[in-house]
Amino acid sequence: SDQYLLDVRSSQVYSNAGTAGHWPEPVGRYDGTQIVFQQQTSALQLFNALDQYLKTSQVRFDSLFSQYDRARKGYLDLGEMRLLVKQLLPSVAEGDLKYFQAMVDINGDGRITQQEFLTAAKEALTDESNALRRSSTEVRDVLTRVSDYMRRNRASLLDLFNRYDTTRSGQLDPTAVMRMLKDAIPGLRPQEMRYILAHMRKLDANNDGMLSMNEMLIGFRAVQAETANASAGGVSGHLQ
């Protein structure tokens, strides 16, 4: 039967626990009785929903965009972006919303222009797909750069994390994580940041759009996985 790694401190559940040479991947959370597997909406679903909406409503994207840019600013703020996404995907989860916002507003200025949205629609699909499959050298290279930085600079990374954790919740949303990593690793290109975002999203097992320092260290392979109490039904242990 399938084996899983349970991080007893966070209740996060990871796959590949019994497979030699494979790094544990987050699959969900343990609620005390069973594993609750994560379900996420992909960028492909969002932009397909946009395409379908424009066709069935017979409206142009600039007209739809203008409906939410009521002040005629030439851009959508994050609140207006949320309303637009919710119209396209009414059941979208909070974590997906935060992810989409960060994916589209890649420069993190909180202002999403039509061109930014359309560029993201074109590029995010490929970037997300490549990142999820780790199917390109560029994806592997940028994830390795982040992992190496985290392993070698854990103290300074924690300082940065705490600086961006303005609410002292112990968690950051995707936009804050990207700002932190841009400070930590100068020169990250927009495409590389989308690769990182797509990878980060897999780490968010409960899909609330928030990541802890520990979740990031585990997800970017900057910790050691130790297992104990192995059995046919699963594996429990922790990551440090």
Side-chain angles (χ1 to χ4, degrees):
S1 60
D2 292 337
Q3 290 188 327
Y4 298 96
L5 175 66
L6 169 65
D7 186 348
V8 295
R9 291 175 295 191
S10 67
S11 297
Q12 291 240 51
V13 178
Y14 298 83
S15 66
N16 295 330
T19 308
H22 290 271
W23 184 261
E25 298 285 352
V27 297
R29 284 183 177 271
Y30 183 63
D31 68 1
T33 58
Q34 63 182 350
I35 299 173
V36 180
F37 290 96
Q38 63 187 8
Q39 295 183 336
Q40 297 176 329
T41 303
S42 69
L44 177 62
Q45 287 172 279
L46 171 64
F47 295 121
N48 279 344
L50 171 62
D51 182 61
Q52 187 64 30
Y53 179 86
L54 296 177
K55 288 177 179 176
T56 57
S57 302
Q58 296 185 330
V59 297
R60 291 166 50 92
F61 176 70
D62 55 0
S63 298
L64 177 63
F65 192 92
S66 296
Q67 290 178 29
Y68 291 91
D69 178 23
R70 294 177 180 173
R72 299 296 185 265
K73 306 179 301 298
Y75 63 85
L76 301 182
D77 60 33
L78 296 183
E80 292 164 336
M81 170 69 176
R82 291 171 70 88
L83 293 174
L84 174 56
V85 173
K86 276 188 167 292
Q87 177 170 333
L88 298 172
L89 294 170
S91 61
V92 66
E94 180 64 22
D96 294 323
L97 270 170
K98 292 175 180 176
Y99 165 77
F100 292 144
Q101 287 177 343
M103 190 70 108
V104 174
D105 183 29
I106 203 67
N107 63 4
D109 65 358
R111 300 181 175 189
I112 301 160
T113 65
Q114 286 191 51
Q115 190 56 53
E116 276 184 314
F117 195 101
L118 293 173
T119 298
K122 178 180 179 181
E123 296 180 357
L125 303 181
T126 300
D127 294 344
E128 179 183 68
S129 177
N130 285 341
L132 292 176
R133 296 195 310 268
R134 293 173 174 262
S135 59
S136 75
T137 300
E138 188 172 13
V139 173
R140 291 191 293 271
D141 285 349
V142 71
L143 295 182
T144 298
R145 282 171 60 196
V146 175
S147 177
D148 287 346
Y149 174 86
M150 288 183 173
R151 282 199 301 268
R152 296 172 183 171
N153 304 278
R154 189 176 298 193
S156 57
L157 181 67
L158 181 59
D159 287 340
L160 271 177
F161 184 97
N162 289 334
R163 187 188 311 168
Y164 280 96
D165 181 17
T166 56
T167 64
R168 298 297 179 261
S169 66
Q171 297 178 307
L172 299 179
D173 66 25
T175 298
V177 174
M178 292 313 301
R179 289 172 178 164
M180 179 189 75
L181 290 179
K182 285 171 68 177
D183 280 351
I185 311 172
L188 286 173
R189 295 180 289 106
Q191 187 177 49
E192 292 175 322
M193 289 190 286
R194 288 196 180 97
Y195 289 151
I196 295 170
L197 276 168
H199 179 71
M200 282 186 348
R201 188 155 170 263
K202 291 199 307 177
L203 314 182
D204 183 15
N206 65 350
N207 204 23
D208 65 352
M210 303 296 289
L211 289 175
S212 67
M213 179 72 171
N214 196 49
E215 284 175 314
M216 286 191 293
L217 291 174
I218 294 170
F220 283 98
R221 309 185 182 191
V223 294
Q224 291 182 331
E226 297 184 354
T227 61
N229 303 325
S231 67
V235 179
S236 65
H238 68 278
L239 299 103
Q240 63 179 19

